[in-house]
Amino acid sequence: MIGGVSERIQKDRLKADGLGSVHTAIQYQNQDFQALRLECLQNGSLFEDPMFPAEPDSLGFKELGAGSAKTRGVEWTRPAEMTASPQFIVGGATRTDICQGALGDCWLLAAIGSLTLNEHLLHRVVPHSQSFNHQYAGIFHFQFWQFGEWVDVVVDDRLPVKDGELLFVHSAEGREFWSALLEKAYAKLNGSYEALSGGSTTEGFEDFTGGVAEMYELKNAPRGLYGVVRKALERGSLLGCSIDITGAFDMEAVTFKKLVKGHAYSVTGVRQVDRRGQQERLIRIRNPWGQVEWTGAWSDNSSEWSAVDSADKDQLLCGMEDGEFWMSFQEFLHQFSRLEICNLTPDALSQDTTGFWNTAMFEGGWRRGSTAGGCRNHPNTFWINPQYRICLLEEDDDPEDDDAACSFLVALMQKDRRRHRRHGQEAHTIGFAIYEIPEEDRGGPSVHLKKDFFLRRSSCARSETFINLREVSARLRLPPGEYLVVPSTFEPAKEADFVLRVFTEKQSETGEMDDIIEACFDQEEDISEEDIDDSFKSMFAQLSGNDQQISGRELRTVLNRVVSKHRDLQTDGFSMESCRSMVSLMDKDGSARLGLLEFQVLWNKIRKWLGIFREFDLDKSGCMSSYEMRLALENGGFKLNNKLHQMLVARYADSETIDFDNFTCCLLKLEAMFKIFYELDRNRAGTVEMNIIEWLCMSMCG
């Protein structure tokens, strides 16, 4: 546990210094591309990746598992073994470089296709200066955004081949391999190629840009969606669309007018044209397959173009890619089921972008017993979920809208769910609720709000649904003010890490609602032997033996004798380790034993904590739930943040319950650590400095 804590602290410090930012990507699995390439060049060898080996496990676990029909006869081949003159990129990366193979990842390919429209974004994901000629060593690298961090992923260039052809994504230009290697790096990041099967284009959009996605069901398209699309394209956003299927037989079925069901398309432009004096809104779509195009109104050779000014017609139809077509926006709403938009962060946008969102991001986690409270249907635990404050300061300047409101996007993403597919674990059902903070509480301290707040108020906005997707997002408009966002799983006690992101059109202030860490202790009276009554002295004399001091073993005997008489307490008894720790924390003279005065002080604390324990054992079960413990700790004078509650539950709870002995040990340890810190932090600076001896003495004492 200590190693894990120190690792997390070190990671937090490195992130604060910029590691994981767009400028300083984290080396995935600690693989350094430059160092590995140099080593191979010096050895005269080609790189073979031990982290994603050319073995069946890297292909998949079920349909692409070892021995499956789809993988029978697959060989791992380097490009130089497939063609005489392999190239990384030929004539720039274009949408025709992305042809789908035997993997159901058209969602990913549509995202890559949109990426090629933006050279600035593409070159971040596909770093420059990679080739099969200069400094070639069989190693390539790509960069992806993963849950708030940019990571640099290394791969070797051994690609899965069947019957002499690349098994998965490939370029129409047979000697070009950047797209196949990019797909391999993304498969490595997610655990296997099969883990990429099935998904939403927005997932690829986000992992290539660090942007935040939103989704629209087109049968319920909101008023003004055309303006949203136009604004998104002006901002450099990436857009995708698809047609729902009604059954397995429908998958990739081609409609009468050559649209493909269950297939991911890219949206590449919008335009308004004059047709016989009428303004017609058009939208440009691209099929990553290339050769299958819409044949209805406004398709390449349709009659509608004859009624459009020839200069406009030439401009719109010139340079169209294979698989790219125009259609009317109304027809688009009728033919397609879903539109997905990925809004980009300022660091992803080029300088000439006309506008961008303001962004804030929080990393959090749901942990059983401490922060996994479930949705509003569970009022006893809902309040323990992480909480975040948004202060919306400025109204939108939209001349078409009379309402004074602020537009913003909230997106909740759970981490690493594709990697868990191999073990039969799918995404949790997640969502979020938003509450208005009352005027009297605005501008106050950002403390974690308790159960009563949520019992008295309804949410003012929420995610449209709780759903088992990687990410749930919503575009919202609320009046200026302060709001609280509560992300949760649908059921309590579901564990996952998450990223919560807030995009606002105008300036805003955001922050986590978490308690300030502090402890308030009752003033301890100085006691002398004269203050101790005779019956207590007599008990102490019987327990302590000839040396008149109580050891850890003797303390265990007396505490277990006492708690066994309290039949309302559920406990396995105090362990030897716990009692030694208690003696060590209370021992003032270094004897590893408790004298009469020390024992009296400890005894008084235990009696006080027993009262708190009984008060907050709300259901009188004899033990406390983890959320009851949170309230009990606060009553005992300890204000702790979510991270500390999480650690305490992991350390002292058993199946989300805390018995009296663990509760006592927890309080004693907390009190001792706070007092040590406060004594060392004489200037109340919030930091202390220790040498190695002092650190070890302090950390080992309990």
Side-chain angles (χ1 to χ4, degrees), residues 3-147:
V5 171
S6 63
E7 197 172 297
R8 286 197 297 273
I9 291 171
Q10 181 67 8
K11 185 180 177 184
D12 288 344
R13 288 177 176 175
L14 289 170
K15 285 187 75 172
D17 290 337
L19 185 65
S21 70
V22 65
H23 306 294
T24 316
I26 294 168
Q27 292 168 356
Y28 185 63
Q29 296 179 328
N30 294 317
Q31 289 181 296
D32 184 328
F33 169 73
Q34 300 293 350
L36 289 169
R37 181 170 67 172
L38 181 60
E39 183 183 340
C40 289
L41 290 170
Q42 289 174 341
N43 296 338
S45 61
L46 294 179
F47 178 63
E48 295 190 4
D49 187 2
M51 301 298 192
F52 197 61
E55 294 174 1
D57 264 6
S58 297
L59 292 175
F61 44 87
K62 194 175 179 182
E63 290 187 15
L64 293 176
S68 65
K70 288 185 179 179
T71 61
R72 208 167 292 135
V74 169
E75 297 176 341
W76 295 81
T77 308
R78 295 189 190 270
E81 299 165 334
M82 286 183 260
T83 181
S85 180
Q87 300 292 314
F88 186 63
I89 292 180
V90 176
T94 64
R95 287 160 280 171
T96 55
D97 297 344
I98 307 143
C99 302
Q100 190 170 353
L103 188 62
D105 63 347
C106 59
W107 62 274
L108 176 63
L109 308 191
I112 299 173
S114 290
L115 191 66
T116 62
L117 299 171
N118 188 318
E119 198 171 337
H120 173 69
L121 296 177
L122 178 72
H123 286 152
R124 182 200 294 171
V125 176
V126 185
H128 281 303
S129 307
Q130 300 191 82
S131 80
F132 288 92
N133 303 312
H134 179 63
Q135 289 197 310
Y136 169 71
I139 183 172
F140 294 85
H141 71 129
F142 301 86
Q143 297 195 350
F144 305 103
W145 182 90
Q146 282 286 280
F147 316 117

Side-chain angles (χ1 to χ4, degrees), residues 544-607:
S544 58
N546 295 332
D547 62 358
Q548 289 297 286
Q549 290 192 314
I550 288 184
S551 66
R553 187 175 300 280
E554 290 162 337
L555 178 63
R556 184 187 185 202
T557 301
V558 67
L559 291 180
N560 286 339
R561 190 183 300 166
V562 170
V563 295
S564 67
K565 293 178 182 177
H566 293 275
R567 301 198 179 278
D568 62 329
L569 300 179
Q570 277 190 30
T571 175
D572 296 329
F574 287 82
S575 68
M576 193 68 234
E577 180 189 353
S578 296
C579 290
R580 280 181 180 147
S581 176
M582 292 166 76
V583 168
S584 180
L585 290 168
M586 295 299 300
D587 174 29
K588 292 202 171 14
D589 58 12
S591 65
R593 283 171 167 70
L594 301 181
L596 175 62
L597 295 179
E598 293 165 329
F599 184 58
Q600 175 73 75
V601 171
L602 175 60
W603 192 256
N604 290 344
K605 291 181 189 298
I606 290 173
R607 287 170 56 195

Side-chain angles (χ1 to χ4, degrees), residues 330-377:
Q330 280 305 117
E331 188 75 37
F332 167 72
L333 296 179
H334 177 68
Q335 295 287 345
F336 283 85
S337 310
R338 189 171 294 104
L339 171 70
E340 298 163 315
I341 301 176
C342 181
N343 302 279
L344 303 183
T345 55
D347 63 52
L349 295 165
S350 56
Q351 297 301 313
D352 57 358
T353 306
T354 56
F356 53 81
W357 298 84
N358 296 287
T359 64
M361 188 188 81
F362 304 97
E363 291 187 77
W366 297 294
R367 291 292 178 272
R368 186 180 293 112
S370 58
T371 53
C375 71
R376 179 66 187 265
N377 296 346

Side-chain angles (χ1 to χ4, degrees), residues 163-378:
D163 301 326
E165 301 287 339
L166 283 172
L167 186 61
F168 303 127
V169 73
H170 53 280
S171 171
E173 165 64 66
R175 59 197 179 96
E176 188 173 20
F177 291 93
W178 73 269
S179 56
L181 290 165
L182 171 64
E183 182 188 45
K184 180 174 184 178
Y186 197 62
K188 176 179 177 178
L189 191 63
N190 286 282
S192 68
Y193 277 96
E194 188 171 357
L196 304 184
S197 184
S200 159
T201 303
T202 53
E203 192 172 334
F205 283 167
E206 291 182 333
D207 288 350
F208 296 149
T209 67
V212 68
E214 52 183 321
M215 189 182 296
Y216 293 92
E217 297 295 338
L218 296 180
K219 65 181 178 185
N220 301 314
R223 183 173 58 88
L225 183 61
Y226 183 84
V228 169
V229 172
R230 177 179 48 76
K231 219 170 182 181
L233 288 165
E234 286 170 359
R235 284 191 174 116
S237 302
L238 305 181
L239 295 88
C241 56
S242 59
I243 303 170
D244 283 346
I245 60 172
T246 53
F249 63 90
D250 233 3
M251 191 63 186
E252 296 188 345
V254 180
T255 69
F256 173 64
K257 293 186 178 178
K258 300 293 187 192
L259 294 177
V260 186
K261 294 184 178 182
H263 190 62
Y265 288 80
S266 311
V267 176
T268 60
V270 289
R271 182 71 182 268
Q272 216 163 266
V273 297
D274 185 296
R275 181 178 178 238
R276 297 196 182 104
Q278 296 290 319
Q279 290 297 306
E280 184 80 47
R281 290 174 166 181
L282 303 181
I283 186 167
R284 190 174 64 203
I285 314 289
R286 183 178 184 275
N287 177 0
W289 280 358
Q291 66 273 24
V292 183
E293 288 187 23
W294 163 249
T295 58
W298 297 101
S299 59
D300 291 4
N301 299 309
S302 72
S303 60
E304 284 79 10
W305 291 107
S306 61
V308 174
D309 179 80
S310 59
D312 285 344
K313 174 184 174 182
D314 290 345
Q315 183 189 19
L316 292 177
L317 294 179
C318 178
M320 294 271 281
E321 298 278 359
D322 184 28
E324 197 165 41
F325 54 87
W326 290 96
M327 65 194 310
S328 80
F329 192 72
Q330 280 305 117
E331 188 75 37
F332 167 72
L333 296 179
H334 177 68
Q335 295 287 345
F336 283 85
S337 310
R338 189 171 294 104
L339 171 70
E340 298 163 315
I341 301 176
C342 181
N343 302 279
L344 303 183
T345 55
D347 63 52
L349 295 165
S350 56
Q351 297 301 313
D352 57 358
T353 306
T354 56
F356 53 81
W357 298 84
N358 296 287
T359 64
M361 188 188 81
F362 304 97
E363 291 187 77
W366 297 294
R367 291 292 178 272
R368 186 180 293 112
S370 58
T371 53
C375 71
R376 179 66 187 265
N377 296 346
H378 306 276

Side-chain angles (χ1 to χ4, degrees), residues 358-547:
N358 296 287
T359 64
M361 188 188 81
F362 304 97
E363 291 187 77
W366 297 294
R367 291 292 178 272
R368 186 180 293 112
S370 58
T371 53
C375 71
R376 179 66 187 265
N377 296 346
H378 306 276
N380 282 335
T381 56
F382 178 69
W383 66 274
I384 70 174
N385 286 300
Q387 302 171 8
Y388 304 90
R389 182 194 293 254
I390 310 175
C391 185
L392 300 174
L393 303 171
E394 296 181 61
E395 301 164 15
D396 298 347
D397 17 307
D398 190 339
E400 298 177 17
D401 203 327
D402 297 330
D403 295 333
C406 309
S407 293
F408 65 108
L409 272 169
V410 177
L412 173 65
M413 178 185 291
Q414 53 188 316
K415 294 185 179 182
D416 296 321
R417 302 317 296 181
R418 281 190 184 275
R419 295 189 69 84
H420 298 322
R421 280 187 180 178
R422 184 183 293 273
H423 310 294
Q425 298 177 29
E426 293 296 332
H428 291 311
T429 302
I430 61 170
F432 55 84
I434 298 178
Y435 295 81
E436 185 173 10
I437 296 177
E439 201 163 329
E440 61 270 20
D441 294 331
R442 292 177 190 173
S446 294
V447 296
H448 194 95
L449 296 174
K450 305 300 186 290
K451 178 179 172 181
D452 284 351
F453 175 89
F454 300 101
L455 290 179
R456 296 196 308 267
R457 291 173 178 82
S458 298
S459 60
C460 61
R462 64 181 73 85
S463 52
E464 187 175 340
T465 181
F466 275 75
I467 193 166
N468 59 338
L469 294 176
R470 180 175 88 154
E471 184 173 62
V472 172
S473 68
R475 181 188 287 251
L476 303 164
R477 297 184 81 239
L478 291 173
E482 287 189 26
Y483 298 91
L484 179 75
V485 183
V486 184
S488 73
T489 56
F490 187 71
E491 294 290 341
K494 299 293 184 184
E495 295 197 326
D497 293 315
F498 67 80
V499 171
L500 179 76
R501 292 179 293 163
V502 180
F503 277 35
T504 57
E505 280 211 0
K506 294 290 189 175
Q507 283 291 12
S508 65
E509 294 174 0
T510 56
E512 185 170 1
M513 300 284 278
D514 212 352
D515 291 327
I516 297 165
I517 300 169
E518 60 182 11
C520 301
F521 306 112
D522 294 336
Q523 187 66 40
E524 287 185 4
E525 297 179 26
D526 287 331
I527 59 171
S528 64
E529 288 197 23
E530 288 74 34
D531 299 319
I532 301 173
D533 63 47
D534 291 339
S535 62
F536 190 86
K537 288 179 182 176
S538 174
M539 179 185 72
F540 179 79
Q542 290 174 8
L543 294 168
S544 58
N546 295 332
D547 62 358

